[in-house]
Amino acid sequence: MDLAISEATWLQSLGPHSHELLEQVGDVATECAKRADEHDRTGTFPAKDFDDLAAAGLNAATVPREHGGLGLGPLNGDTLTLWLMTKELAKADLSLGRCWEGHTNSLVLLQALASEQQQERWFDGVARRGQKWVAWSGEPQARKPGEGTRFGTSITAVEGGWVLDGTKAFATSATGADWALLLVNTAGPGGARHADAPPEGLLLLACDLSDPTVTVDESWWDPIGMRATASHVVEFGQTFLPEENLIGTPGAYLHQGWQSAFTPHYAASFLGAAEGAFDYALEYLARQNKTADPYVQQRAGSMKVNIETSHLWLAHVAQLWDSGQRAGAQRAGNSARHLVEHLALETVDHCVRACGARSLVRPSPVERILRDLTFYARHDNDDHVLATIGRAALGETHDSSFFKP
Ligand SMILES: Cc1cc2nc3c(=O)[nH]c(=O)nc-3n(C[C@H](O)[C@H](O)[C@H](O)COP(=O)(O)OP(=O)(O)OC[C@H]3O[C@@H](n4cnc5c(N)ncnc54)[C@H](O)[C@@H]3O)c2cc1C
């Protein structure tokens, strides 16, 4: 893809090491793209993709260098390289992008909040043994029509730790991850996103998923898209979580606004999906000899501008994180999340309108991208994201983490 304006800005801000890493990720992503259709059809966690990332030395992307990682991400002064890596993987397979985000974001949280001893223990597992992480909050409380299951966990303090009972839904990488960061609430079911309790009740606990009291119910996850994220319901049956697995002080996740480091990371994945559709459209339209059509030209123009705009926003937010302007980064990150969702969805729509119906017949990747992106964009409600941006602009009280009304 020719990105004249963009190359002069975001790519040139990266050092040679970042370019090398992105090339390596591109090679791995090429192989992941070949497996995406199969993973989607079978709803299977992309385990081989993670193996390949580990074999290429890329899986510990957000682990600090002193712990054997690549030292990328918002806490290490190199945010854009991480987000562009994510974009490449999401372009190959948006489900992989989500699992990858969950993994790398969890490691950012460990770096931010875990003790030195905890970091040593868990980063070693990632850097040396390819262990995979994820963070689970999802405990939606309002039932949908016909829904029998009530999601949610209850946690009880016991000697030496806590006992967790109940279920979490949308548990990405449920059949692939080794460790999960559980966001659980001492006030009762709701996790972080669906709870109204005081922040101090929110605990962040690392859970070893090989514990036999943690089981995966694979019957619930049958969504329109993002099938390969394997975001199943996970059940905790009196799971003991030792006190040495408590990360940070209770409430730190909300008090310090850590979710806002991950909000623009979702946008990087949305952008990957858009770029996948754009690349496909360019090939498709050239093949069909339709490039002289003025409507096609306008749609191609819009797609290109959308993708460039999204890159510029991500580069802007990344630069704010890297220069320590955290409050500005948090605000701009929400704006980027809002805008890139729309630009990405519009780009996929342009692709479909320019290419026609056959672009939505399998094995076209656009068919999968459309389903995946439509569904993944629900990960946070854009109406509430935008209202949060508005509330901040108006000086109103707002929740910039979970965009609660
Ligand atoms: C592909 C995918 C992967 C995910 N992976 C993870 C993961 O790894 N870890 C994790 O923790 N979560 C994950 N999530 C879950 C996500 O964080 C939410 O928990 C989930 O999307 C909530 O489901 P819902 O939108 O049906 O429910 P709800 O939360 O009930 O939302 C339904 C709608 O109602 C709105 N709403 C909610 N409360 C109110 C209210 N009080 N008043 C008015 N409107 C309201 C919401 O904004 C939304 O538009 C994932 C989601 C998706 C789509």
Side-chain angles (χ1 to χ4, degrees), residues 98 135-138 170 172 193-194 226 231 375 379 381 384 405:
R98 163 89 279 267
W136 294 338
S137 169
F170 292 98
T172 284
R193 191 177 257 103
H194 298 99
M226 301 301 275
S231 300
F375 187 56
H379 197 168
N381 175 347
H384 291 160

Side-chain angles (χ1 to χ4, degrees), residues 135-154:
W136 294 338
S137 169
E139 299 184 19
Q141 293 299 291
R143 292 191 206 196
K144 73 175 191 183
E147 194 166 64
T149 321
R150 184 174 169 83
F151 304 114
T153 58
S154 309

Side-chain angles (χ1 to χ4, degrees), residues 91-152:
K91 182 172 165 178
D93 178 351
L94 191 53
S95 285
L96 169 63
R98 163 89 279 267
C99 297
W100 168 258
E101 278 171 34
H103 171 68
T104 54
N105 291 345
S106 300
L107 305 176
V108 170
L109 274 179
L110 290 183
Q111 185 180 354
L113 298 171
S115 68
E116 187 53 37
Q117 206 182 12
Q118 289 175 322
Q119 292 190 21
E120 219 157 85
R121 171 183 171 201
W122 288 318
F123 286 153
D124 188 69
V126 177
R128 288 180 203 271
R129 280 168 279 137
Q131 288 187 334
K132 297 175 279 289
W133 282 72
V134 72
W136 294 338
S137 169
E139 299 184 19
Q141 293 299 291
R143 292 191 206 196
K144 73 175 191 183
E147 194 166 64
T149 321
R150 184 174 169 83
F151 304 114

Side-chain angles (χ1 to χ4, degrees), residues 271-308:
L271 175 56
E275 214 175 86
F278 183 42
D279 284 2
Y280 185 76
L282 292 182
E283 189 192 341
Y284 198 103
L285 296 165
R287 166 92 185 200
Q288 294 200 333
N289 236 351
K290 287 181 180 157
T291 55
D293 179 272
Y295 297 107
V296 162
Q297 289 170 350
Q298 290 222 355
R299 294 198 182 276
S302 288
M303 286 190 269
K304 185 167 188 292
V305 172
N306 287 352
I307 287 170
E308 286 182 345

